[in-house]
Amino acid sequence: MRILLAGGAGYIGSHTAVCLLQAGHDVTIVDNYANSCPEAVRRIEQIAGRKADCFQADVKDRDTLLRIFREKPVDCVIHLAGLKAVGESVRNPIEYYRNNIDTTLSLLEVMRETGVHDFVFSSSATVYGEENPIPYLETMKKGSCSSPYGWTKSMMEQILTDAAAADPELSVVLLRYFNPIGAHPSGLIGEDPQGIPNNLMPYIAQVAVGRREHLTIFGDDYDTPDGTCRRDYIHVCDLAEGHRLAVEYAHEHRGVEIFNLGTGKPCSVLELVHAFEEASGVSIPYVIGPRRDGDLPQFWANADKARAVLGWQAGRGIGEMCRDTWNWQKNNPEGYRGGRI
Ligand code: NAD
Ligand code: UD1
């Protein structure tokens, strides 16, 4: 199949592109490099030993998309293109709604115009909101999101659900990611945040490599076993594999299906810090700071449905996630800005 990855040069997209190329699919990447760079695409090809077709373009731009879809006829779209910084979305909601929602609408319009019916969407556990009990199950009602970023995901899920209801040919798979971390074991691709990392694992990795002095743990007085928040961290290569299976599922079914992609196992901030220290042999100095606004004490996935229906399971453990993150960070202390390796 030929699969178009909108946002395919980014963190999750680059790992998904490698996985799809290695499985024998053809890949078209469309990315405006708002949060990535062409070097990532070069490295995808280096790992896979094959070319991906790559277009630098804004996914909101319907005319350009149409030209790309005509030049490289597409069987399935994976939509990963989005702005994802939670704090920034609170400060700049209009940009987030414009970018995230318009990219989705443009893709749907161009798919309709060119007769493409299969769509896989990067959603997030954030759509479960604050109200739901843990572990989260796909059958639960969505909740109230704590940020405009979260609401864009919730709204895009609704848009895709409505589009599928109106078009019996459309197949939509909503993948609700939990907390992706880790990197490809080659150390060639990984997460490369611009500026100060918002998320825990890239922050730990930058402390380990000497780019930041210490980690601040946002609160140790939560009602959890060690007082720090717990999350369901999942290796990005397991996540990539989930996309490959979702593409195949979308091809064989119609309508909308939702899958949690998580391990089903919670891990606390302190446990992750200690696992990273063990995997890297580097100590991570930390201080305890105040809680971060909007943080939930703990959540993790019930991932039974993905196992039963897609035959997918997250096989890599926390130790492997830390080892691969460290391998990427120590080989690329400045991320892709360090250039070729
Ligand atoms: P990322 O920022 O590394 O990748 C997103 C890519 O989309 C980037 O390469 C960026 O340049 C591109 N992009 C953004 N807007 C675009 C536009 N208008 N046109 C073309 N390209 C555009 O982020 P990621 O971590 O790889 O996340 C991928 C998707 O998964 C996002 O939609 C994100 O919201 C979602 N998600 C991520 C996480 C996570 O923790 N990383 C969790 C849940 C959901
Ligand atoms: C955050 C987002 C969520 C998004 C997800 C993946 C918020 C409120 N939520 O979730 O919407 O889907 O990222 O992109 O931003 N931590 C520290 N110190 C740090 C960084 C994080 O202690 O420097 C803690 C946090 O308090 C949290 C845990 O580490 O308890 C994980 O944080 P993070 O990686 O940002 O993920 P989420 O909070 O799950």
Side-chain angles (χ1 to χ4, degrees):
M1 276 193 267
R2 175 167 287 277
I3 300 150
L4 183 140
L5 271 64
Y11 172 48
I12 298 166
S14 56
H15 291 80
T16 303
V18 167
C19 178
L20 293 170
L21 286 166
Q22 288 181 332
H25 294 295
D26 294 317
V27 165
T28 302
I29 290 171
V30 185
D31 203 302
N32 64 358
Y33 302 128
N35 195 35
S36 56
C37 60
E39 175 64 11
V41 178
R42 196 190 68 74
R43 295 193 189 185
I44 290 167
E45 294 172 340
Q46 185 179 345
I47 299 169
R50 293 180 56 205
K51 296 283 288 175
D53 289 301
C54 187
F55 297 87
Q56 178 172 1
D58 191 323
V59 175
K60 299 196 292 295
D61 176 354
R62 283 184 69 252
D63 293 345
T64 305
L65 269 189
L66 190 56
R67 187 177 54 73
I68 295 169
F69 273 63
R70 293 214 161 114
E71 195 176 322
K72 294 279 168 197
V74 171
D75 297 302
C76 178
V77 169
I78 306 181
H79 181 20
L80 308 115
L83 300 176
K84 63 161 187 178
V86 171
E88 187 180 69
S89 80
V90 175
R91 291 189 297 277
N92 206 349
I94 296 169
E95 188 186 349
Y96 271 67
Y97 284 112
R98 170 66 76 196
N99 191 71
N100 291 0
I101 296 199
D102 262 11
T103 49
T104 307
L105 293 174
S106 293
L107 282 167
L108 283 170
E109 285 174 350
V110 171
M111 285 171 65
R112 187 174 54 188
E113 213 159 323
T114 53
V116 179
H117 305 300
D118 301 350
F119 196 106
V120 174
F121 179 62
S122 296
S123 191
S124 166
T126 197
V127 301
Y128 288 104
E130 296 160 12
E131 298 85 353
N132 280 302
I134 41 176
Y136 292 152
L137 253 181
E138 292 89 343
T139 47
M140 290 171 174
K141 265 188 179 301
K142 288 190 293 180
S144 331
C145 298
S146 57
S147 70
Y149 163 76
W151 282 116
T152 68
K153 291 292 174 196
S154 190
M155 288 176 188
M156 289 185 285
E157 284 200 358
Q158 188 62 47
I159 290 168
L160 289 162
T161 304
D162 292 342
D167 177 358
E169 283 195 298
L170 195 59
S171 173
V172 170
V173 176
L174 306 175
L175 297 178
R176 291 180 179 163
Y177 310 155
F178 281 68
N179 288 61
I181 61 171
H184 192 270
S186 63
L188 285 169
I189 55 173
E191 188 167 12
D192 182 21
Q194 319 289 308
I196 301 169
N198 299 304
N199 298 117
L200 178 60
M201 186 52 127
Y203 205 104
I204 292 175
Q206 291 195 6
V207 171
V209 86
R211 281 174 65 180
R212 320 239 158 237
E213 236 169 60
H214 64 263
L215 170 74
T216 301
I217 294 181
F218 300 142
D220 69 347
D221 56 352
Y222 285 97
D223 186 14
T224 59
D226 65 16
T228 64
C229 293
R230 296 200 294 170
R231 295 289 183 272
D232 184 340
Y233 297 99
I234 171 175
H235 197 297
V236 68
C237 292
D238 281 328
L239 200 65
E241 190 64 20
H243 289 76
R244 184 182 66 74
L245 294 164
V247 165
E248 288 165 12
Y249 182 88
H251 191 60
E252 286 154 17
H253 298 79
R254 300 297 99 191
V256 182
E257 210 62 63
I258 305 173
F259 295 103
N260 286 340
L261 295 182
T263 63
K265 293 182 200 125
C267 171
S268 75
V269 176
L270 276 171
E271 284 168 337
L272 191 66
V273 169
H274 295 320
F276 190 92
E277 290 181 321
E278 200 175 316
S280 64
V282 178
S283 103
I284 306 295
Y286 64 82
V287 298
I288 305 294
R291 293 181 176 194
R292 179 172 70 178
D293 277 354
D295 269 346
L296 295 179
Q298 52 184 351
F299 60 83
W300 60 92
N302 176 319
D304 291 350
K305 183 176 171 190
R307 186 170 58 233
V309 179
L310 297 179
W312 175 86
Q313 203 169 356
R316 296 161 176 92
I318 288 284
E320 205 170 337
M321 299 180 210
C322 293
R323 185 200 68 194
D324 291 339
T325 301
W326 178 231
N327 189 38
W328 151 254
Q329 191 72 69
K330 76 171 188 292
N331 286 319
N332 305 271
E334 299 298 326
Y336 293 115
R337 282 170 299 286
R340 290 182 173 229
I341 59 170

